[in-house]
Amino acid sequence: MKAFEYASPRTEAEVVQLLSAEPGKTEILAGGTDLVGLMKKMIVTPDRVVNIMDVPTLKSIDELPDGSVSIGATVTLDDILAHPYLDVYPAIKQAIRGISSMQLQAQGTLGGEVCQRPRCWFYRNGDGLLSQGVAEGANEFHAILGNSGPAKFVNSSRIAPALIALDAQLRVLGPDDAEQFVPLAEFFRSPQREGQREHVLAPNQFVSHIVLPPIEGRTCATYEVRHGEGPDYPLAAAAAALRLNGFGIVQDANVVLGQVAPMPWISQEAIAVLRGRKVDVALAEAAGEAAVSRATPLSQNEYKVQLAKVAVKRAILLAAGYETGGF
Amino acid sequence: MTDLKNKAAKKSGFNRRDFFRGSGAIAAATALQTQTADAFQDQSPQIISGETTITLNVNGKDHQVKAEPRTTLLEVLRYQLDLTGAKPVSSDGSSGASTIFVDGKPMTASTILALQAAGKKIETVESLGGDAVQQAFVKYDAEQCGFCTPGFVMAVRSFLNKKPNASEAEIRSGLNGNICRCGTYANIVEAAISVAKGGN
């Protein structure tokens, strides 16, 4: 690791004050499960690391007066699993159970999970986020959607699809006491040049809380297609949130795919298929088809198209209360 | 949302950014520790660079250790406290071989900075001498090369603390944070099941 300065602020304002406006100079440390490994490999080389684990206001799960739930950025994944308020959002708990490693659940935080860097092996081996190598080969785990630009990695977050499907917002703090609420759906972006981050925050802004609107009769689910039951990242995943009327007709739907594009992929095509229809196996399958209708697989990842289709289908069926069958 | 807004509105009278502007920013950052004029100084964060001495509570005892910001907890445990049970294997935590308990929770020492661990209760595999899990690993021959073993012993202990009567399927999925390259999973799971059945 490159030598760096370390600070452990106690308030949100102090965190902002310690962050540099210049990209790459400061990094935010929470659980450390991603950042410390990246620093060891010298892929991330900050001059200062700001540990936000000692800021008390970032550690709690609170119900807000309007029924929303605010989760602090440093709330650990196992604390979310254990929290009774959050039972109404099964998609989130399912995604966290999918992570399955006790250590990652105990040490990893929600903010860190959402902001983690891509697992792309070109990136992790020092070739940069936009390595030319991806197009040439060894791209079996890369993007099948949204991959026409320079970024072909996949966003690795396993909880973000569920959070986006549930219309989560991020509370973002910045200089001069600036507080803003950013829909998670607008947080991620596909970098266009090397050095650009995978999200829209300035280097001196940080995510303090994740705010979930009330569930209000919606149902939701996450479904991951994994290579096995081991600790690897899924090959494809999807989260669905549905509002059904008394006759089981979809009034409103959100379908978000994970592990298939440089950002969590909101599928307007799948949403359009679902609206106004009654959920059954055929409809869920049609939504899956629609979700991958614009897929442009790379040389070695055509298999992911089928997996993504199945992930969408099963997330929808799970959300609608159907048995999904199989693993 | 009002709660959050109120929280954000509270701010200290001390503006560190102004201080940075007036003092040549990062180069002067270490001087912050010695500035005394501000009433909020006790609450303002220290910026640490270079080696400092910290106190770590490991296996029930306080130890003075030296750490730079970039020193990991694993390095301190192994190379200063001679607690070599936790192993450096994957360097990014993915092997689970450096699993220890921090305030009772299983975490990988290789991805924790030593400075983050100050003030926390740290337990290593050395604290489990004579534990039923350790004994079961011996009895069921649950190791081959042995590198992953201390991490697995900690993981099994931690999982069974949470779920003392866990089933085989639960144990298998509960140990997902640890990897054994030799592939001795069958014996590890057998050892864990025997402890679960024994009720320890």
Side-chain angles (χ1 to χ4, degrees):
Chain A
M1 263 186 271
K2 197 188 87 169
F4 51 79
E5 302 178 332
Y6 171 93
S8 207
R10 298 287 191 272
T11 68
E12 295 171 351
E14 285 173 352
V15 174
V16 174
Q17 285 159 14
L18 287 160
L19 294 175
S20 164
E22 221 180 305
K25 294 283 180 205
T26 45
E27 286 288 339
I28 291 176
L29 173 66
T33 57
D34 194 21
L35 179 64
V36 174
L38 287 168
M39 291 197 299
K40 284 185 185 177
K41 286 186 174 172
M42 303 286 276
I43 290 164
V44 175
T45 53
D47 292 334
R48 179 187 296 163
V49 167
V50 181
N51 172 29
I52 60 169
M53 295 301 277
D54 294 331
V55 182
T57 52
L58 305 182
K59 281 185 174 176
S60 61
I61 301 177
D62 298 302
E63 196 169 4
L64 303 181
D66 68 348
S68 301
V69 176
S70 145
I71 308 174
T74 63
V75 172
T76 56
L77 304 182
D78 63 346
D79 283 343
I80 293 176
L81 273 188
H83 205 289
Y85 280 2
L86 300 171
D87 283 345
V88 294
Y89 306 104
I92 294 172
K93 292 204 172 186
Q94 285 157 354
I96 295 175
R97 282 195 201 97
I99 292 168
S100 81
S101 152
M102 275 189 304
Q103 292 90 332
L104 283 179
Q105 289 179 355
Q107 197 177 332
T109 62
L110 184 60
E113 209 285 337
V114 169
C115 295
Q116 67 179 298
R117 309 306 301 273
R119 296 280 144 184
C120 165
W121 48 31
F122 291 91
Y123 172 64
R124 298 268 162 177
N125 281 303
D127 278 0
L129 263 182
L130 309 178
S131 169
Q132 299 289 322
V134 181
E136 288 157 24
N139 52 31
E140 61 261 50
F141 300 123
H142 285 76
I144 55 168
L145 285 159
N147 57 4
S148 58
K152 303 190 192 313
F153 61 83
V154 297
N155 179 284
S156 295
S157 174
R158 294 167 75 165
I159 309 176
L163 294 172
I164 293 173
L166 290 163
D167 299 320
Q169 298 214 323
L170 301 180
R171 177 173 176 258
V172 172
L173 301 180
D176 303 316
D177 295 326
E179 177 197 49
Q180 64 189 109
F181 288 87
V182 180
L184 189 56
E186 294 164 20
F187 174 70
F188 296 103
R189 69 170 168 202
S190 185
Q192 297 302 309
R193 55 181 164 75
E194 204 57 71
Q196 214 172 34
R197 288 292 295 253
E198 316 86 86
H199 56 65
V200 299
L201 296 198
N204 54 359
Q205 289 182 306
F206 84 106
V207 175
S208 74
H209 293 79
I210 292 92
V211 181
L212 286 163
I215 191 80
E216 281 175 347
R218 284 182 297 171
T219 59
C220 63
T222 295
Y223 190 91
E224 293 184 340
V225 181
R226 292 194 288 269
H227 189 255
E229 290 186 61
D232 283 345
Y233 277 69
L235 301 166
L242 306 172
R243 188 189 309 282
L244 307 176
N245 71 9
F247 302 102
I249 307 287
V250 179
Q251 291 181 302
D252 206 0
N254 249 342
V255 177
V256 186
L257 287 81
Q259 319 291 334
V260 296
M263 55 184 110
W265 190 259
I266 302 168
S267 178
Q268 298 301 343
E269 293 89 347
I271 294 168
V273 167
L274 293 173
R275 270 210 194 108
R277 306 276 301 275
K278 192 171 160 49
V279 176
D280 56 21
V281 175
L283 184 74
E285 231 165 57
E289 290 279 0
V292 297
S293 58
R294 288 196 291 134
T296 49
L298 303 169
S299 57
Q300 295 174 12
N301 67 4
E302 204 171 341
Y303 74 99
K304 284 183 70 164
V305 176
Q306 172 67 16
L307 303 186
K309 193 159 79 181
V310 169
V312 168
K313 172 182 134 187
R314 293 196 175 169
I316 291 167
L317 290 176
L318 255 184
Y322 280 73
E323 296 288 338
T324 56
F327 164 61
Chain B
M1 226 47 62
T2 42
D3 282 7
L4 286 174
K5 288 201 169 122
N6 288 341
K7 265 183 215 162
K10 272 183 225 155
K11 60 172 232 179
S12 78
F14 173 55
N15 189 333
R16 181 173 302 282
R17 204 167 340 108
D18 291 345
F19 180 81
F20 280 168
R21 268 191 212 120
S23 65
I26 291 166
T30 43
L32 274 178
Q33 291 171 40
T34 53
Q35 59 95 21
T36 52
D38 195 273
F40 292 92
Q41 203 218 344
D42 287 347
Q43 284 143 34
S44 68
Q46 276 194 340
I47 297 177
I48 299 169
S49 59
E51 197 175 78
T52 41
T53 302
I54 56 169
T55 304
L56 290 183
N57 184 287
V58 184
N59 298 335
K61 260 179 68 183
D62 278 348
H63 299 269
Q64 302 278 312
V65 299
K66 291 197 161 90
E68 283 184 60
R70 62 177 164 176
T71 308
T72 62
L73 177 57
L74 182 62
E75 288 167 336
V76 170
L77 293 174
R78 289 180 58 84
Y79 309 129
Q80 289 185 50
L81 302 181
D82 210 22
L83 296 167
T84 54
K87 296 281 186 282
V89 173
S90 57
S91 90
D92 62 2
S94 54
S95 67
S98 68
T99 300
I100 52 154
F101 298 160
V102 178
D103 290 339
K105 284 184 173 189
M107 301 190 185
T108 48
S110 62
T111 59
I112 298 173
L113 299 182
L115 296 183
Q116 276 188 298
K120 305 217 154 67
K121 192 171 164 252
I122 297 153
E123 292 163 277
T124 69
V125 72
E126 285 83 357
S127 71
L128 291 189
D131 188 273
V133 174
Q134 183 206 34
Q135 301 301 314
F137 267 64
V138 175
K139 184 169 170 201
Y140 289 89
D141 196 18
E143 65 276 308
Q144 288 185 50
C145 84
F147 255 78
C148 71
T149 311
F152 262 109
V153 170
M154 293 300 274
V156 170
R157 180 73 276 165
S158 174
F159 187 69
L160 294 181
N161 284 350
K162 238 182 354 187
K163 268 211 162 101
N165 303 310
S167 67
E168 175 174 345
E170 286 170 331
I171 288 169
R172 281 184 183 276
S173 113
L175 299 181
N176 249 348
N178 294 70
I179 290 173
C180 168
R181 274 298 193 187
C182 306
T184 187
Y185 296 108
N187 296 20
I188 293 170
V189 170
E190 234 183 305
I193 291 170
S194 80
V195 179
K197 284 193 176 144
N200 287 307

